[in-house]
Amino acid sequence: MATLLDKKLSNTIIDNYIEHVVKDGLKSLQDHKQYGIREGTTLADHLINGAFTIYTLKNAIGLSDIETMLLMSTFSIHDLNKLSNDPEASLSKLVDNQDFVKENIFKMAVDKFFKEWEEYYNDIISLIRAHSGHFHLSGDQLIPAKDKTKLGLIRIKALSHIMKAVDIIDLSKEFNERRKKEEFLHHINSASKIQYRWISHKLTEHRGVLSNIIHNQIIDVFQSYKAIPLLVYAEGTWYMLPNSVDLPSRENLIEEISQKFDSKLSKLRIEDLSKVINMTKDGIKIDESIIDLLPADEILKEVDTLIYKRNFKIQDQIEKAKEKAQKNGIDFDEYIKKNGLRVFTTRDDMVKGEFLRTTYLFINAHFSKEIKSWFNIDDAWKLICNRLGIEENVFEVFDKLYDRSFVIGANVSLNIEELKEKLTRLWNEILIKRNSSSRELKDNIFKSYMEKSIVFDLGQDQSKVSFESFLISYVTQNHKQDCYGSFEGNTDKWMAPQVPNGILVQQFSNRLPAGASIEPKRYVSEITKEQFFIEKMVFRTGSEKATYLHFMPERFLPYAQLEILKKELIDLVRDEDILLGLDDKSLAERKEKVYFGNKNFGISLPKYSEVIANIISIPVFVKAETTSERTLRALEYGGRLGLEFGLKVIVSESSIPPLSANSFEFLFIDNTNWQVQSFLCGKKVSKEKVKDLIASFDSVRSIENKIRDDWKHSYFYTLITSLAESPLRIFWEIDRTLEKKLRGSKIKNPEWLAINICSQIKEDVERLDSRRNVMGEDKLKLSDYIKELAKIGWDGKIKGETLVRNSLLYPLNEIFDNLRKESSVFDIEAKRASIIQKIFDHLSRIIEWEVGKTKYNHVTNFVNTFLEMYDKLYGNKLSKLLSDEKDIKSAYLFYLRNEINTSKEEKNDSSSSKL
């Protein structure tokens, strides 16, 4: 199956390694589990991680291209004992087996990546021998005359330290682990002319894309001091810094980082003005964030573009204006005539009116308090009319938002260009008067936030976060704390329309007074406002509420791997309006195409690499009717991409991850119902189980593809949750959906269509049914009894006269009808005899030839099997059995149709062999 990341690769070392070794050679090792100290990873994970770490070190320790490819190639096959089918084989024995080594060079596609491998074969062997701390170069290799390597023993010895270092470092599973990091650095310093020390940074909280921008600015600042980012963890990054480099003080570092952060944000704010200057039904609205960044003429240029794109419905506007005036007891036409005004009837009138309305909205939204002190005028319309030299009183009767601007536009003596010139002067005057201290205040807030949220380990200078100030702030601002984080600054009160879609009451209600009858308010700090704004700027939007996928390293990512991932993600953003969606039809039919562009649903990949860092948060928009269905569909995106990227993933309604990377194994689902949790076997899912889940999703789609009558309605969620609701509920869902399809079918024999469909989906249904063992069901499954009943039923032809539904279900209908009849006279044995006789008598009447003992035995076997199931699985409790009646009949019908198809195929095979 084609993957998301398939693309034309440029001819670089790392791209060639990905194309040949990662996507081809090491693919077979993705399920090769490791044990002991490396438990929880696969052999492929270990080898790929090491190769990327080597590439990250390339320039730091002065590796040539050939040496880099040699080391990456050698590391990709160095665990020869793990690649061998013989568990007893030792590395010393395997490395001397030239055929085995070459076999793995070809198997891992190293020959395609490192075309010069034959020239360096002895170098590869020497490095494999030397990579283990317990296995060194053999004695004869230490004799210069015996040296067969191309690089020479001295260089091989240096490179062997890199092999050892890289083999050790992926055991440093957690950010704060130090011993393995120190061992790694010891080996690196043994191989490098430049001597290095460790430094690191981490953030105390994660705020999605805002935190990622901070992470990236810290990396840029450290790189400017020759630090080499190497190990990327969810919470922060470790760097190798030359011992010869002295870093500035923590205060100076924070100053540099905050300046870069502010500069980056300024660029983001004006990168796509359509996100901050947009047309709404209430006029053109301008986000406050760009007021300090753009001059008035630049803002008005974007406004101008939007106005001329608008299709004005002049007559509708006039009618609505009349209705509003009438509600206020004013005759619109009479008022216009009496005051010597004219109605807005031309497009020029409307264009001028929209410029006026935009100016009103701009002043009213951002400077309604300031204009009193600046101009001694307390109303935005009064200020506008004052600058235009017109009386404002005559226009007061018209609605200030919807009608007033257009009436003024129709009656002002200026043409469009003259009006724009006067309004631009007013905008400039306002922006000049704006006190720059507001920007400085915001800058200080971000600097203060960074001082409290960034933790540096700079060797001797290790900063620590004091939670005292946060605690004091939390207590003193009781019920007014920031709804989205721990920032101690002041907050503003926001209502629901001001907050992005998807913020739940539960995410801030614990900071409100208990039992408050007032509508819940969101108290939002400047940091959170900026977070919301950045999310708006960097992600495209879908038609539905977003669910978020938070991807983070399982242990750490080598920095080179993160850079490649950034490039891959950004390269996929080709169209501003396209979301990357799952192609349901291709998935259902096992075709190559899995992802496609969709304007409404799918993954909203970030537009800028600046927001891709230690935790990658991506919104996904899915078509769903409930929160649980939305979460399940988003989970599929997360599972597929997590496996593909080699990253852990949290599926959450929150734009920030609700827990840390150390709190779960591979996938965590934050909020869903019990059916989905049962299907997943809990909220936390291992990598191995995620692979099984993806296979289950594929099976569901394959089933859905065959049974649905159109693609407008999806049964995906229904089929999955049915697995949790009862043992056979999926058969009932398939049955009722298939019946709907048959009713709409115009073919002559729909019963044969049903038989063929049941045969086509049998493998997928049984794969899903087998999940019941994973979900904790008893080994003695209800479906096993149903299969046996179907086999007996078809072998003995225990059915009605045709292959239609009711005819096939005849024996089960008879059993349920008899059991349902209450009788104190007959015990279960008497009922058994009665049911057998009734079914046999019915078959005797409808079958043309005489039936005898064989048929009776078939019927007896059928009824006995059913009653055994009734006894062992239902404890002879009728109410419990009857609650599953529909499910049992649907499952029986499914398996019986498969028996019919099997019989038909065997008959056709027999006829073909005779020919």
Side-chain angles (χ1 to χ4, degrees):
M1 185 175 284
T3 67
L4 171 67
L5 302 181
D6 281 341
K7 65 182 183 66
K8 292 181 180 179
L9 296 167
S10 56
N11 187 25
T12 66
I13 291 175
I14 200 67
D15 286 338
N16 284 330
Y17 184 81
I18 293 170
E19 182 179 18
H20 297 302
V21 185
V22 175
K23 292 185 177 180
D24 183 13
L26 295 177
K27 201 171 182 180
S28 62
L29 301 179
Q30 287 293 350
D31 295 322
H32 192 300
K33 294 182 185 178
Q34 298 199 104
Y35 299 95
I37 57 175
R38 299 192 192 277
E39 188 172 2
T41 63
T42 67
L43 183 55
D45 293 335
H46 172 57
L47 301 179
I48 292 169
N49 185 284
F52 277 114
T53 303
I54 290 167
Y55 185 80
T56 307
L57 291 165
K58 179 178 183 293
N59 295 328
I61 53 180
L63 295 175
S64 68
D65 286 354
I66 283 290
E67 289 174 337
T68 304
M69 289 188 287
L70 169 66
L71 282 168
M72 292 172 72
S73 299
T74 304
F75 199 85
S76 299
I77 63 167
H78 78 283
D79 280 327
L80 289 174
N81 51 330
K82 295 178 182 177
L83 298 174
S84 172
N85 292 325
D86 181 2
E88 302 298 323
S90 65
L91 181 61
S92 58
K93 188 175 180 180
L94 292 171
V95 80
D96 289 332
N97 186 338
Q98 193 173 97
D99 290 338
F100 179 72
V101 174
K102 289 183 177 179
E103 176 190 331
N104 280 286
I105 286 173
F106 293 122
K107 186 178 178 181
M108 301 304 153
V110 166
D111 61 310
K112 295 176 183 175
F113 164 64
F114 185 34
K115 299 188 187 305
E116 298 87 350
W117 70 271
E118 288 182 286
E119 297 176 49
Y120 291 87
Y121 179 80
N122 289 306
D123 302 67
I124 292 172
I125 295 300
S126 295
L127 287 171
I128 293 175
R129 286 183 181 279
H131 92 272
S132 170
H134 304 288
F135 193 58
H136 305 281
L137 299 176
S138 57
D140 64 336
Q141 286 182 296
L142 297 174
I143 303 171
K146 297 282 187 177
D147 179 21
K148 297 178 182 179
T149 64
K150 190 162 183 178
L151 295 179
L153 287 177
I154 294 175
R155 189 57 180 158
I156 290 295
K157 186 177 180 181
L159 296 183
S160 70
H161 281 290
I162 299 171
M163 288 284 293
K164 292 174 185 177
V166 172
D167 203 35
I168 288 167
I169 194 59
D170 79 344
L171 295 173
S172 187
K173 301 175 183 179
E174 297 180 358
F175 183 88
N176 292 325
E177 191 280 329
R178 296 301 294 253
R179 191 168 65 85
K180 295 299 178 185
K181 290 183 177 70
E182 293 302 333
E183 287 182 41
F184 167 89
L185 195 61
H186 167 74
H187 285 295
I188 293 300
N189 283 335
S190 297
S192 173
K193 292 179 180 178
I194 300 174
Q195 298 296 287
Y196 291 95
R197 68 182 187 271
W198 282 118
I199 62 170
S200 72
H201 89 266
K202 68 177 179 179
L203 300 184
T204 58
E205 68 172 4
H206 184 75
R207 285 180 171 270
V209 290
L210 183 141
S211 291
N212 281 351
I213 293 174
I214 295 174
H215 276 302
N216 283 324
Q217 304 325 300
I218 297 171
I219 289 173
D220 283 351
V221 167
F222 276 150
Q223 283 181 314
S224 71
Y225 291 102
K226 299 183 180 180
I228 298 157
L230 185 65
L231 312 177
V232 180
Y233 292 85
E235 56 265 69
T237 302
W238 283 87
Y239 311 75
M240 294 191 331
L241 181 73
N243 285 338
S244 58
V245 174
D246 291 324
L247 290 174
S249 67
R250 184 178 192 278
E251 290 72 21
N252 288 340
L253 284 172
I254 292 291
E255 181 66 34
E256 284 189 58
I257 294 163
S258 61
Q259 286 179 5
K260 287 184 69 67
F261 176 81
D262 186 60
S263 174
K264 189 63 66 177
L265 250 58
S266 297
K267 289 179 182 177
L268 278 177
R269 288 188 184 101
I270 62 174
E271 192 78 30
D272 183 359
L273 290 179
S274 67
K275 295 276 187 160
V276 288
I277 305 175
N278 50 76
M279 177 72 78
T280 72
K281 64 181 180 63
D282 300 324
I284 295 172
K285 295 185 178 179
I286 298 164
D287 196 283
E288 184 183 6
S289 64
I290 64 164
I291 290 174
D292 299 308
L293 301 173
L294 291 178
D297 54 346
E298 285 293 317
I299 298 173
L300 284 168
K301 190 185 295 181
E302 183 70 17
V303 169
D304 189 77
T305 302
L306 291 175
I307 289 175
Y308 279 100
K309 281 182 179 179
R310 183 170 178 181
N311 179 26
F312 294 102
K313 297 179 180 179
I314 300 174
Q315 194 56 44
D316 286 352
Q317 191 76 32
I318 292 172
E319 293 302 320
K320 289 176 181 178
K322 288 180 178 181
E323 287 175 13
K324 292 192 195 82
Q326 188 174 3
K327 285 180 182 179
N328 293 323
I330 297 169
D331 185 310
F332 183 86
D333 292 325
E334 185 180 333
Y335 186 89
I336 289 286
K337 184 177 180 181
K338 180 181 176 181
N339 289 279
L341 303 174
R342 55 179 289 266
V343 182
F344 43 92
T345 56
T346 68
R347 180 172 175 79
D348 280 4
D349 293 339
M350 303 303 288
V351 168
K352 288 192 288 183
E354 200 63 77
F355 273 114
L356 285 162
R357 180 160 71 162
T358 303
T359 302
Y360 164 73
L361 287 169
F362 176 70
I363 297 171
N364 197 55
H366 305 302
F367 307 105
S368 59
K369 296 177 182 177
E370 288 82 353
I371 58 174
K372 173 68 175 175
S373 59
W374 293 346
F375 305 105
N376 200 29
I377 297 175
D378 59 3
D379 180 80
W381 273 121
K382 286 181 181 178
L383 177 61
I384 294 168
C385 290
N386 177 274
R387 287 296 183 271
L388 295 178
I390 61 176
E391 284 293 327
E392 191 262 343
N393 294 341
V394 72
F395 300 106
E396 283 184 344
V397 299
F398 303 110
D399 185 278
K400 64 172 64 176
L401 179 59
Y402 294 103
D403 305 319
R404 191 177 302 182
S405 63
F406 299 110
V407 178
I408 294 174
N411 289 278
V412 73
S413 60
L414 306 169
N415 63 31
I416 293 174
E417 292 306 317
E418 290 170 339
L419 178 66
K420 282 168 60 178
E421 186 179 342
K422 283 210 168 192
L423 293 177
T424 302
R425 279 198 223 113
L426 176 57
W427 281 55
N428 277 321
E429 193 176 347
I430 288 171
L431 293 181
I432 289 170
K433 287 181 177 292
R434 177 180 170 85
N435 193 334
S436 62
S437 63
S438 63
R439 182 69 243 170
E440 291 172 9
L441 178 63
K442 182 170 280 194
D443 291 344
N444 289 334
I445 287 171
F446 285 119
K447 184 178 176 182
S448 174
Y449 175 72
M450 290 182 199
E451 285 173 347
K452 292 177 173 64
S453 64
I454 300 173
V455 179
F456 291 127
D457 183 347
L458 306 177
Q460 298 297 323
D461 179 18
Q462 183 168 355
S463 60
K464 297 185 182 296
V465 174
S466 169
F467 292 97
E468 182 180 352
S469 59
F470 290 100
L471 181 60
I472 292 171
S473 174
Y474 191 93
V475 172
T476 56
Q477 291 194 94
N478 199 20
H479 307 313
K480 292 183 180 180
Q481 303 94 341
D482 182 20
C483 72
Y484 237 51
S486 59
F487 183 61
E488 63 184 80
N490 294 328
T491 59
D492 293 331
K493 186 167 61 180
W494 278 18
M495 296 295 286
Q498 296 170 282
V499 183
N501 278 339
I503 294 184
L504 306 178
V505 172
Q506 293 91 326
Q507 290 170 321
F508 59 87
S509 60
N510 66 322
R511 300 184 179 183
L512 299 178
S517 59
I518 59 170
E519 183 179 352
K521 308 291 193 300
R522 283 84 164 168
Y523 285 91
V524 182
S525 68
E526 288 296 332
I527 300 299
T528 299
K529 288 179 189 177
E530 201 67 51
Q531 175 191 333
F532 291 161
F533 174 75
I534 296 170
E535 288 168 10
K536 178 181 176 182
M537 291 298 292
V538 302
F539 294 119
R540 293 184 295 281
T541 56
S543 62
E544 301 287 321
K545 178 180 172 183
T547 300
Y548 286 84
L549 307 175
H550 304 287
F551 297 99
M552 54 191 73
E554 292 186 74
R555 285 170 171 74
F556 66 82
L557 282 182
Y559 185 70
Q561 191 172 353
L562 177 62
E563 288 295 284
I564 291 161
L565 187 54
K566 284 185 186 182
K567 185 175 183 299
E568 297 280 6
L569 287 171
I570 299 305
D571 284 351
L572 287 166
V573 183
R574 307 189 191 284
D575 191 315
E576 291 288 321
D577 301 318
I578 294 298
L579 300 167
L580 200 67
L582 288 173
D583 189 337
D584 283 7
K585 290 186 179 180
S586 294
L587 284 168
E589 296 167 8
R590 309 295 208 272
K591 289 183 178 177
E592 287 296 303
K593 183 182 177 185
V594 176
Y595 299 92
F596 75 117
N598 188 308
K599 290 193 174 183
N600 297 316
F601 305 107
I603 310 165
S604 178
L605 293 172
K607 292 166 59 179
Y608 311 106
S609 63
E610 290 91 341
V611 301
I612 302 170
N614 302 54
I615 297 177
I616 305 170
S617 298
I618 301 177
V620 56
F621 300 90
V622 295
K623 189 173 183 179
E625 295 181 1
T626 65
T627 298
S628 290
E629 182 178 1
R630 185 183 302 112
T631 305
L632 180 69
R633 288 182 172 276
L635 180 150
E636 183 180 9
Y637 281 94
R640 289 183 185 278
L641 293 175
L643 290 174
E644 196 163 325
F645 295 155
L647 298 173
K648 301 170 75 166
V649 60
I650 297 173
V651 183
S652 174
E653 290 183 274
S654 171
S655 62
I656 56 177
L659 73 169
S660 69
N662 297 328
S663 305
F664 65 104
E665 195 170 341
F666 185 78
L667 183 146
F668 178 83
I669 185 165
D670 186 24
N671 184 27
T672 190
N673 60 19
W674 70 267
Q675 290 100 328
V676 173
Q677 283 194 51
S678 177
F679 178 76
L680 301 176
C681 305
K683 286 189 170 188
K684 299 178 181 181
V685 189
S686 68
K687 182 184 283 189
E688 186 178 355
K689 288 181 180 177
V690 168
K691 292 176 183 178
D692 176 60
L693 281 176
I694 297 302
S696 297
F697 288 147
D698 289 342
S699 291
V700 170
R701 277 206 169 78
S702 183
I703 294 167
E704 183 187 38
N705 186 38
K706 299 293 191 305
I707 64 176
R708 72 198 303 182
D709 53 343
D710 60 58
W711 282 89
K712 294 178 182 178
H713 182 71
S714 172
Y715 298 93
F716 181 80
Y717 178 71
T718 305
L719 288 170
I720 284 176
T721 53
S722 68
L723 288 165
E725 289 175 1
S726 69
L728 300 179
R729 182 52 53 88
I730 189 170
F731 294 98
W732 182 77
E733 294 290 352
I734 290 170
D735 185 29
R736 74 187 184 97
T737 307
L738 187 53
E739 282 300 305
K740 182 181 176 183
K741 181 184 182 82
L742 296 179
R743 285 195 297 272
S745 173
K746 295 181 180 179
I747 64 172
K748 189 174 181 181
N749 298 308
E751 61 270 21
W752 278 107
L753 174 61
I755 289 168
N756 288 333
I757 290 174
C758 287
S759 173
Q760 291 171 28
I761 66 175
K762 180 185 177 185
E763 185 179 331
D764 287 306
V765 171
E766 292 191 330
R767 182 181 292 117
L768 291 174
D769 187 50
S770 68
R771 275 194 61 78
R772 304 208 66 80
N773 288 333
V774 178
M775 293 161 61
E777 294 291 334
D778 292 335
K779 291 182 179 179
L780 187 63
K781 293 191 297 181
L782 190 52
S783 56
D784 293 333
Y785 275 106
I786 306 297
K787 287 180 195 177
E788 183 63 22
L789 285 170
K791 180 169 178 52
I792 298 168
W794 182 245
D795 287 346
K797 300 300 182 289
I798 308 172
K799 65 178 188 62
E801 296 179 270
T802 67
L803 296 179
V804 299
R805 177 189 176 82
N806 283 339
S807 177
L808 294 175
L809 286 174
Y810 164 71
L812 281 189
N813 287 334
E814 191 66 47
I815 292 174
F816 275 103
D817 287 345
N818 274 272
L819 290 175
R820 194 177 286 109
K821 293 175 183 176
E822 292 187 11
S823 173
S824 58
V825 177
F826 294 111
D827 59 13
I828 193 68
E829 292 305 319
K831 282 194 176 247
R832 184 194 308 270
S834 173
I835 293 168
I836 292 171
Q837 194 61 50
K838 283 186 178 182
I839 295 175
F840 180 76
D841 289 345
H842 177 77
L843 296 177
S844 300
R845 288 194 297 273
I846 65 172
I847 296 175
E848 295 179 359
W849 60 88
E850 185 176 350
V851 296
K853 188 174 181 181
T854 301
K855 181 68 71 177
Y856 189 86
N857 289 340
H858 279 305
V859 173
T860 300
N861 192 14
F862 186 93
V863 174
N864 285 341
T865 301
F866 185 95
L867 293 178
E868 180 185 320
M869 175 187 76
Y870 179 39
D871 175 33
K872 290 189 175 180
L873 298 186
Y874 291 92
N876 289 325
K877 293 181 179 178
L878 185 59
S879 60
K880 190 177 177 183
L881 175 71
L882 293 179
S883 67
D884 284 346
E885 180 178 0
K886 290 181 180 179
D887 296 350
I888 291 170
K889 288 180 178 178
S890 297
Y892 176 76
L893 193 62
F894 175 81
Y895 285 117
L896 185 61
R897 283 168 170 165
N898 271 285
E899 289 293 330
I900 296 170
N901 187 73
T902 301
S903 176
K904 175 189 170 186
E905 289 176 348
E906 289 173 352
K907 184 177 180 181
N908 290 340
D909 289 344
S910 177
S911 299
S912 299
S913 62
K914 288 179 182 178
L915 292 174

